Amino acid sequence: MTEAAADKPRDIGLDAARGALMAYIVIVIHGTFWLSVIPPGPGSWLLFEMPPVFIITGAAFFLGELAKGRRTPYPKFLWRRAVRIMLPYFAYALACAAIVLVVRYQQDGASAQTIWAAVWAWINPITRGGGHTMYMLSWHLWFVPPFLLVTALMPFIAPRGAPLWLRPWLLALIGFAIVLGAHQINFPQNEIVQNAIFYALWAIFGVLIASAPGRYKTWEYALVLLLSLAGIFAANLAFPGRVTLDMQHNKFPPDAMFFLFCCAWMMLLLIVVRLLGDVRVDKLAHLPVLKPFMSAGYSIYLWQGLGYTIAAAVGRPQHWSPYVIWPLAIAITIILGLIASPLERIRVR
């Protein structure tokens, strides 16, 4: 995301960042954790992808709502966002329900009760196919409920600005305290709520960055980076039996260690983006490899569950190397996502 976001109605760098993140998630993260192309221990230090997604969500909310100087009525805002998020999700969920029913009951058939149970388990974003799934069809769908919640909350939590004394190190300290406190509470639907709290903080930060480009200095990002790394390793030394450096363990639900880890990565990314400059970042939008992820990123994200499942179902019985299954999974995912992507652009009045 470029920090010129407030200066124009649509930021090309924002689109490029969104596409790059979707490509990173589909190719690197799920290649690592679904196919083990990288050992999961060191691979867990690559799990910084979701905070930038929500920072972009916050920045896009600022550009789409707050920067216009007028607010969309909340029911209309909520309906538009719900359609854009849930219509592609329902399409993917129904396809997965059908596949599972066919595979499991292709010989003896399924009763009407079984069919309804499978369909409901899939179209309900809270259960996400639980009890009626297979392979990797639903492993990534944990993202949908917190994304829906944070999006719905944006009109209420998005700040109109921030006082000058609220610097990045203080924002990080406040966020750390909130995550640490929330992690001690066992909420109903605990993981979904914990995720929503955690990622809402990053969405708010995205609004702050987009609303006042250049608000924070590069050295301030570097300070938070150093403090976060110091906090991670100090906690690991002080509480070796209570904390772990395996970020996959810290991510679900996200705890205070994961917050420090994300702070470190996010500050590094912001420093790199600032050093590259807006012109170089905007050039990413013209890279052919990012085009599908920019135009159909959400659909590609959803359909990767089926893409990876098909590739694994074909390759594993033949004892193919993960490094052969991996590019096949990516290719199938992109094709399926592009086919389904028109659903992202449907607007229901």
Side-chain angles (χ1 to χ4, degrees):
M1 180 180 65
T2 70
E3 293 197 50
D7 297 330
K8 44 193 174 182
R10 184 167 186 90
D11 187 85
I12 297 174
L14 205 65
D15 291 337
R18 186 184 291 110
L21 281 168
M22 287 298 106
Y24 179 76
I25 292 168
V26 171
I27 297 171
V28 178
I29 295 300
H30 292 143
T32 296
F33 288 93
W34 293 3
L35 298 178
S36 299
V37 296
I38 301 174
S44 74
W45 281 74
L46 301 176
L47 290 171
F48 58 83
E49 74 284 0
M50 283 304 167
V53 169
F54 282 89
I55 285 180
I56 290 172
T57 298
F61 176 80
F62 173 81
L63 290 175
E65 296 292 325
L66 302 183
K68 295 187 302 186
R70 57 184 176 82
R71 299 293 294 272
T72 303
Y74 184 68
K76 186 177 182 180
F77 167 84
L78 189 61
W79 174 250
R80 285 178 174 176
R81 295 304 187 275
V83 168
R84 292 181 67 181
I85 295 171
M86 295 309 298
L87 194 59
Y89 172 80
F90 286 147
Y92 176 74
L94 290 173
C96 289
I99 290 168
V100 171
L101 286 168
V102 168
V103 170
R104 288 191 177 178
Y105 302 102
Q106 57 182 330
Q107 292 183 339
D108 301 327
S111 66
Q113 184 177 4
T114 301
I115 293 172
W116 169 246
V119 170
W120 173 247
W122 273 101
I123 64 174
N124 182 349
I126 295 177
T127 53
R128 306 184 299 280
H132 299 273
T133 188
M134 57 190 233
Y135 277 89
M136 311 161 205
L137 290 178
S138 61
W139 289 4
H140 60 308
L141 298 180
W142 68 268
F143 167 79
V144 176
F147 184 53
L148 192 61
L149 275 173
V150 172
T151 300
L153 289 172
M154 285 308 297
F156 306 104
I157 64 176
R160 302 298 184 274
L164 291 177
W165 52 264
L166 196 57
R167 309 313 298 173
W169 67 270
L170 187 54
L171 286 169
L173 184 61
I174 293 170
F176 178 83
I178 291 172
V179 173
L180 184 63
H183 201 69
Q184 310 308 312
I185 304 172
N186 189 22
F187 297 99
Q189 294 295 333
N190 185 56
E191 187 167 309
I192 293 174
V193 175
Q194 297 276 3
N195 280 327
I197 292 171
F198 185 88
Y199 293 114
L201 296 172
W202 295 102
I204 291 170
F205 187 51
V207 173
L208 292 176
I209 293 176
S211 62
R215 179 196 302 268
Y216 306 125
K217 307 301 181 185
T218 302
W219 70 264
E220 294 181 285
Y221 292 152
L223 176 62
V224 176
L225 168 61
L226 294 175
L227 291 175
S228 300
L229 291 175
I232 290 171
F233 290 107
N236 187 61
L237 290 174
F239 308 103
R242 295 174 56 188
V243 301
T244 176
L245 295 180
D246 184 343
M247 293 302 156
Q248 177 76 349
H249 174 81
N250 294 327
K251 183 178 179 180
F252 296 108
D255 58 16
M257 280 288 283
F258 192 66
F259 181 78
L260 291 176
F261 165 79
C262 290
C263 280
W265 263 112
M266 199 60 242
M267 296 305 106
L268 179 61
L269 290 174
L270 287 171
I271 292 170
V272 169
V273 167
R274 183 166 285 176
L275 292 176
L276 287 174
D278 291 349
V279 174
R280 289 192 182 93
V281 173
D282 287 352
K283 285 182 178 179
L284 290 174
H286 302 291
L287 292 178
V289 70
L290 288 187
K291 289 292 185 181
F293 294 96
M294 291 172 60
S295 64
Y298 181 48
S299 294
I300 290 174
Y301 179 89
L302 289 174
W303 288 85
Q304 68 181 313
L306 182 55
Y308 271 84
T309 292
I310 292 172
V314 170
R316 284 177 175 172
Q318 307 302 320
H319 305 290
W320 290 0
S321 164
Y323 299 98
V324 176
I325 298 174
W326 187 28
L328 177 62
I330 295 166
I332 296 173
T333 293
I334 293 174
I335 292 169
L336 292 174
L338 290 174
I339 292 171
S341 64
L343 291 172
E344 291 187 47
R345 294 180 281 277
I346 291 177
R347 303 292 180 263
V348 181
R349 293 186 180 276

